[in-house]
Amino acid sequence: MDRITYQGETVVTLAQIDRVHGRPDGTAGRVFRDNRDRFASTAEYIVANLDEIRRGFPRAFPARGGGEVILVTRRGYMKICKSLTDDLAWDVFNEMLDRYFAGHPAVAAFDPSDPAVLIAVLGSLHAQVAAKDQRIAELEPQAATLKQLTGSGGSVSLTDGGKVLGLKRKDFLVWLSVNDWLYRGQDSKWRANTARVESGHLEQIVQTYGPNEQYATVSVRVTVAGMAELNHLIDRAIFTKVKKPKKAKLVADDALNALNALVADDAAFR
């Protein structure tokens, strides 16, 4: 039996299924019509123009006649064979899968005239665009951080570091202090922990000024490695403000607590 391909898909006609399985003419067609609502268009069957497909496969179709023809894909063929349950049907079924459909994996044909197909394609494209937009949104803060670090010689001030991480300066400094990145010097100014300087996470820059450079200022900056480490370590959720309950709710809670206390006292004296 000649193999028929249509729109890149290996297909078989209902008449061919009858001949291969030795069934009376119209058997496969009846099974298909009785269960048509169970077959997925384009994935399991294709409605093709007979004149068009006859030109490519003249021996597989009658020389005369027009109209449309049902072409069944590998998945559709498997469904039709569910109704053909004798031993011969199983043998032929295996032979068809091993030889006729072998080497021709099922690929859903794209029919632009089918509204369902167009909706599915548009939905898929919309999902892909949404996923890319989400990825861009995730990368934008990282790009901003990289741009800022690149433009500042590879490190940022403590204030700018907090801004890049989305934290207020006070919260950022408290976290650095509690987690042994910073400490207060004798002059109450911030100093970098020696271990963090040695690890390359912080820089401590000393600048001298005045006559004979007798005065000095010390500034702490966060390096690229430090920003990456902080971005990994800091849980921003702990800095999220929790809304205070409304006064009415507080009054209600107090009243409920008082009532519970009265009930407990009453039970104790009984």
Side-chain angles (χ1 to χ4, degrees):
M1 182 173 69
D2 293 338
R3 180 182 286 110
I4 302 173
T5 58
Y6 184 72
Q7 296 181 352
E9 181 88 9
T10 299
V11 294
V12 64
T13 68
L14 297 171
Q16 286 175 323
I17 295 176
D18 287 338
R19 288 199 297 272
V20 169
H21 284 270
R23 296 302 178 99
D25 291 345
T27 301
R30 175 180 52 78
V31 172
F32 176 79
R33 289 190 299 273
D34 291 346
N35 300 277
R36 186 159 185 166
D37 59 333
R38 300 176 184 272
F39 286 79
S41 176
T42 73
E44 295 171 346
Y45 75 93
I46 303 170
V47 180
N49 181 275
L50 184 57
D51 290 332
E52 176 187 350
I53 197 168
R54 183 192 289 119
R55 288 193 291 269
F57 304 93
R59 293 196 302 175
F61 299 94
R64 296 181 181 180
E68 296 177 334
V69 61
I70 300 295
L71 303 176
V72 181
T73 67
R74 184 177 186 272
R75 284 181 53 181
Y77 170 72
M78 293 172 69
K79 281 191 174 182
I80 289 177
C81 286
K82 290 177 67 176
S83 299
L84 311 177
T85 56
D86 56 88
D87 292 338
L88 176 61
W90 282 110
D91 292 338
V92 174
F93 173 77
N94 292 331
E95 189 76 7
M96 287 285 287
L97 292 185
D98 292 341
R99 296 195 178 189
Y100 187 83
F101 288 103
H104 294 266
V107 179
F110 175 75
D111 181 5
S113 65
D114 188 340
V117 173
L118 288 177
I119 291 174
V121 171
L122 291 175
S124 176
L125 291 175
H126 177 74
Q128 294 178 36
V129 171
K132 290 181 179 179
D133 289 343
Q134 176 65 26
R135 184 56 179 160
I136 290 173
E138 293 172 354
L139 292 176
E140 279 181 344
Q142 299 177 25
T145 301
L146 179 60
K147 182 178 180 181
Q148 190 164 5
L149 290 173
T150 303
S152 58
S155 64
V156 293
S157 67
L158 296 176
T159 300
D160 290 338
K163 289 180 180 179
V164 170
L165 294 170
L167 302 177
K168 293 182 178 179
R169 173 182 168 83
K170 179 181 178 181
D171 293 335
F172 186 44
L173 294 177
V174 168
W175 191 97
L176 293 174
S177 176
V178 170
N179 290 276
D180 296 326
W181 283 59
L182 299 177
Y183 68 95
R184 291 282 192 181
Q186 293 181 351
D187 57 357
S188 298
K189 302 295 184 181
W190 289 111
R191 299 288 187 271
N193 187 299
T194 303
R196 289 299 176 179
V197 174
E198 293 177 349
S199 66
H201 292 147
L202 294 177
E203 291 179 346
Q204 186 159 280
I205 302 173
V206 179
Q207 293 179 324
T208 58
Y209 64 96
N212 300 319
E213 298 186 344
Q214 58 182 327
Y215 304 108
T217 59
V218 179
S219 61
V220 179
R221 297 177 67 85
V222 188
T223 65
V224 175
M227 289 299 298
E229 182 71 4
L230 289 168
N231 186 57
H232 172 71
L233 291 176
I234 294 180
D235 182 3
R236 293 165 182 74
I238 65 176
F239 298 102
T240 303
K241 289 186 177 180
V242 179
K243 293 182 179 180
K244 294 182 179 180
K246 294 181 179 180
K247 184 175 181 180
K249 185 177 185 304
L250 290 175
V251 172
D253 290 343
D254 291 340
L256 180 60
N257 292 334
L259 178 61
N260 290 333
L262 289 174
V263 172
D265 291 340
D266 183 63
F269 284 104
R270 285 184 180 181

